[in-house]
């Protein structure tokens, strides 16, 4: 079909006129352009109450090809035509019998094909959220109108938003894991700094509140085998040697590394997602999310690992040993050179995959079970239930990866002290140290310090979640963006 025939096609003309009329309704001051205030007011007048201010800003940023801060008719029409084409692709994935309409049974089947388990009640709620004519199914026009101004046409984002709007909260458990949640599109769509700031504040408060337990864990990991002290005796030693303030040794640098680690992790995860998907417009399967998350975790850990080594050395330091973070870095560098900043790197890297994989698999399984169970009872799972899923899954992941974490910490504790400790060569590398611990202490030696580590998981997750919710609310960040 030639371009002349295309222009004369009644369907194309009708669609163009529909979008032009929509533009005219939103152009409140009739100057031929739409800014964010007009867009917000116009959508509100048209009944789009489910579109948040952040989503409007994101929609404007994505459609404003000239970067002028407002939209011309051409920009508006071209963007919506492309956006609606992508929405049609997603709709076709849900329309399993290809009759042009989607009912609850098809949604249940389509979600199952995408690796998402939902019950009949939830599927019916999803339909009713969009079904304007009470036909008990969804036409493409209803689907298109509901999502027309949603800033993303990615199936991951649409499903998350749709379920959220249907009163089934989707959330992550707030614990640092190797696999970031699928929020990277919104992180890099104009409000990334708010998500990072909210996460940074939550992480800083959470880590600061649980820092004494973290330092107790490190002390047991490094000195527990040689001194055979109880948790109580170790805690008394920490108080006697450094006072109350000493319980927070190493926490400063632990807080400092949150922002770069999170930013790198989400950037790398976003790039890996794009690489895995290629030109396909689809969501990631669970093994693909694990792959992307493991890569993101490995990259972020590689870059910030020197801070991890210094955190361990600062947590183990005696009073007066280091004056500051910079003094610590200078002294251990002078002692062993640049390689000192990567002591214990390999066990740390190998620990990411089992931790992230088990954490993700257990969390997704528990969450799917809880959501389906509550939906069958016509209720929504509360935050405590989902936080419990996150806490349990995090404990499972840590249980699997803990031996590697212990070996990593013991190697980190040697940074800058190689000549002073007089350790045999066997205890200065991963495999040798692993064999030494098993030979002298048995398998239980690989789990020294795991009790305080588990004790801090529940409060860390709860505090992080609470503070994140409060901070993002103050910043105007929507979870369902």
């Amino acid at each position: 079909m030639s371009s002349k025939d295309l222009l004369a096609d009644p369907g194309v003309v009708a669609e163009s006129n529909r979008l032009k009329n929509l533009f005219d309704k939103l152009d409140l001051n009739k100057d031929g352009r739409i800014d964010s205030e007009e867009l917000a007011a116009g959508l509100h007048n048209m009944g789009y109450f489910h579109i948040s201010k952040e989503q409007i800003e994101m929609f404007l940023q994505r459609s404003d090809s000239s970067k002028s801060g407002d939209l011309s008719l051409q920009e508006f029409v071209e963007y919506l035509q492309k956006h609606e084409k992508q929405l049609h692709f997603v709709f076709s994935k849900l329309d399993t019998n290809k009759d042009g309409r989607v009912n609850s049974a098809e949604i249940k089947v389509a979600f199952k094909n995408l690796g998402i388990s939902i019950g009949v009640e939830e599927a019916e709620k999803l339909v009713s959220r969009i079904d304007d004519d009470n036909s008990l199914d969804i036409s493409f026009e209803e689907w298109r109108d509901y999502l027309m101004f949603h800033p993303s046409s990615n199936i991951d984002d649409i499903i998350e938003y749709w379920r959220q709007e249907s009163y089934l909260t989707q959330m992550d458990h707030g614990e640092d894991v190797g696999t970031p949640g699928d929020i990277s599109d919104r992180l890099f769509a104009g409000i990334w700094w708010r998500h990072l700031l909210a996460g940074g504040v939550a992480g800083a408060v959470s880590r600061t509140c649980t820092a004494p337990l973290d330092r107790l864990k490190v002390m047991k990991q490094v000195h527990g085998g040689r001194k055979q002290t109880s948790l109580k005796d170790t805690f008394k030693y920490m108080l006697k040697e450094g006072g109350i303030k000493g319980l927070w040794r190493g926490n400063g640098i632990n807080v400092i590394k949150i922002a770069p680690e999170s930013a790198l992790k989400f950037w790398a995860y976003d790039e890996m997602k794009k690489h895995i998907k290629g030109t396909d417009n689809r969501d990631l399967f669970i093994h693909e999310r694990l792959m992307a998350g493991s890569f993101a975790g490995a990259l972020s850990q590689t870059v910030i690992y020197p801070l991890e080594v210094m955190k361990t050395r600062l947590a183990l330091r005696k009073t007066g040993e280091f004056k500051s973070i910079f003094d610590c870095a200078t002294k251990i560098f002078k002692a062993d050179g640049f390689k000192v900043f990567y002591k214990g790197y390999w066990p740390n890297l190998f620990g990411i995959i089992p931790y992230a994989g088990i954490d993700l698999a257990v969390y997704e399984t528990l969450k799917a079970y809880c959501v389906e169970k509550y939906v069958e009872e016509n209720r929504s799972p509360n935050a405590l239930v989902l936080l419990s899923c996150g806490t349990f899954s995090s404990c499972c992941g840590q249980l699997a990866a803990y031996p590697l974490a212990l070996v990593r910490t013991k190697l980190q504790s040697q940074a800058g002290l190689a000549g002073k400790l007089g350790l045999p060569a066997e205890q200065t590398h991963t495999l040798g140290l692993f064999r030494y611990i098993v030979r002298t202490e048995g398998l239980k030696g690989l789990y020294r310090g795991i009790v305080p580590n588990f004790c801090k998981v529940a409060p860390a997750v709860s505090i992080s979640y609470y503070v994140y919710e409060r901070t993002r609310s103050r910043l105007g960040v929507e979870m369902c963006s």
Side-chain angles (χ1 to χ4, degrees), residues 177-180 265 268-269 272 287-301 349 351-357 360:
V177 294
T179 307
K265 187 182 292 183
Y269 185 68
M272 194 63 180
H287 70 278
E288 292 175 325
R289 289 206 306 273
L290 173 59
M291 186 191 306
S294 297
F295 172 79
L299 179 65
S300 63
Q301 279 290 299
L349 189 65
I352 289 173
I353 295 176
Y355 179 46
L360 175 67

Side-chain angles (χ1 to χ4, degrees), residues 180-390:
D182 280 334
I183 61 172
S184 50
D185 283 340
R186 62 177 178 263
L187 279 174
F188 294 96
I191 57 172
W192 60 271
W193 66 270
R194 300 186 191 185
H195 284 281
L196 288 181
L197 179 58
V201 171
V205 174
S206 172
R207 294 182 190 195
T208 300
C209 289
T210 58
L213 286 170
D214 189 64
R215 187 173 181 230
L216 181 60
K217 175 198 72 176
V218 172
M219 294 290 287
K220 288 292 292 179
Q221 285 179 328
V222 175
H223 300 307
R226 178 167 52 89
K227 298 182 178 179
Q228 292 293 320
T229 53
S230 66
L231 287 173
K232 183 179 178 180
D233 290 338
T234 304
F235 189 76
K236 283 183 177 179
Y237 168 78
M238 288 163 54
L239 279 175
K240 182 180 179 180
E241 200 280 327
I244 295 292
K245 186 179 178 181
L247 298 177
W248 275 265
R249 283 180 183 170
N251 183 60
I253 198 165
N254 199 28
V255 169
I256 289 171
K257 69 186 179 70
I258 294 173
E261 183 179 13
S262 298
L264 276 168
K265 187 182 292 183
F266 282 116
W267 172 81
Y269 185 68
D270 187 69
E271 291 300 312
M272 194 63 180
K273 272 175 59 180
K274 293 176 183 176
H275 178 74
I276 292 173
K277 289 181 181 180
T279 57
D280 296 336
N281 188 5
R282 62 176 180 85
D283 64 334
L284 295 181
F285 296 107
I286 189 168
H287 70 278
E288 292 175 325
R289 289 206 306 273
L290 173 59
M291 186 191 306
S294 297
F295 172 79
L299 179 65
S300 63
Q301 279 290 299
T302 299
V303 175
I304 61 94
Y305 194 76
L307 298 179
E308 291 278 0
V309 173
M310 286 193 290
K311 176 233 172 187
T312 299
R313 287 292 286 115
L314 288 167
L316 293 168
R317 79 183 188 274
K318 293 183 178 180
T319 302
E321 186 176 354
F322 300 119
K323 297 177 182 177
S324 63
I325 294 173
F326 180 75
D327 183 49
C328 173
T330 303
K331 285 182 177 178
I332 65 175
F333 175 76
K334 285 181 179 179
D336 290 327
F338 183 74
K339 67 179 181 180
V340 75
F341 293 111
Y342 284 87
K343 290 283 289 184
Y345 172 76
W346 290 113
N348 180 71
L349 189 65
F350 294 143
I352 289 173
I353 295 176
Y355 179 46
I358 293 173
D359 193 343
L360 175 67
V362 173
Y363 180 69
E364 290 297 326
T365 302
L366 286 176
K367 187 173 72 171
Y369 171 78
C370 290
V371 168
E372 184 168 358
K373 181 176 181 293
Y374 272 74
V375 166
E376 288 173 355
E377 298 173 0
N378 202 28
R379 294 188 294 139
S380 297
N382 56 42
L384 181 61
V385 171
L386 294 179
L387 281 174
S388 298
C389 292

Side-chain angles (χ1 to χ4, degrees), residues 334-463:
K334 285 181 179 179
D336 290 327
F338 183 74
K339 67 179 181 180
V340 75
F341 293 111
Y342 284 87
K343 290 283 289 184
Y345 172 76
W346 290 113
N348 180 71
L349 189 65
F350 294 143
I352 289 173
I353 295 176
Y355 179 46
I358 293 173
D359 193 343
L360 175 67
V362 173
Y363 180 69
E364 290 297 326
T365 302
L366 286 176
K367 187 173 72 171
Y369 171 78
C370 290
V371 168
E372 184 168 358
K373 181 176 181 293
Y374 272 74
V375 166
E376 288 173 355
E377 298 173 0
N378 202 28
R379 294 188 294 139
S380 297
N382 56 42
L384 181 61
V385 171
L386 294 179
L387 281 174
S388 298
C389 292
T391 301
F392 181 74
S393 66
S394 182
C395 287
C396 290
Q398 290 185 32
L399 190 64
Y402 195 83
L404 289 168
L406 182 137
V407 171
R408 174 204 65 195
T409 303
K410 284 190 68 68
L411 290 172
Q412 288 175 341
S413 70
Q414 301 170 13
L417 299 173
K420 299 178 182 179
L421 295 175
L423 294 172
E426 180 188 31
Q427 297 180 42
T428 60
H429 62 87
T430 302
L431 291 177
L433 185 55
F434 192 94
R435 287 194 295 263
Y436 173 78
I437 293 171
V438 173
R439 186 174 69 250
T440 57
E441 301 176 55
L443 290 177
K444 68 178 183 179
L446 297 173
Y447 288 90
R448 284 200 315 268
I450 199 168
V451 173
N453 186 67
F454 278 171
C455 287
K456 76 170 187 170
V457 173
V461 171
S462 302
I463 293 167

Side-chain angles (χ1 to χ4, degrees), residues 1 34 61 112 137 140 151 158 192 203 208 232 268 342 411 480:
M1 182 181 288
I34 302 173
Q61 288 175 358
K112 184 178 180 181
D137 57 19
F140 173 68
I158 289 173
W192 60 271
T208 300
K232 183 179 178 180
Y342 284 87
L411 290 172
C480 55

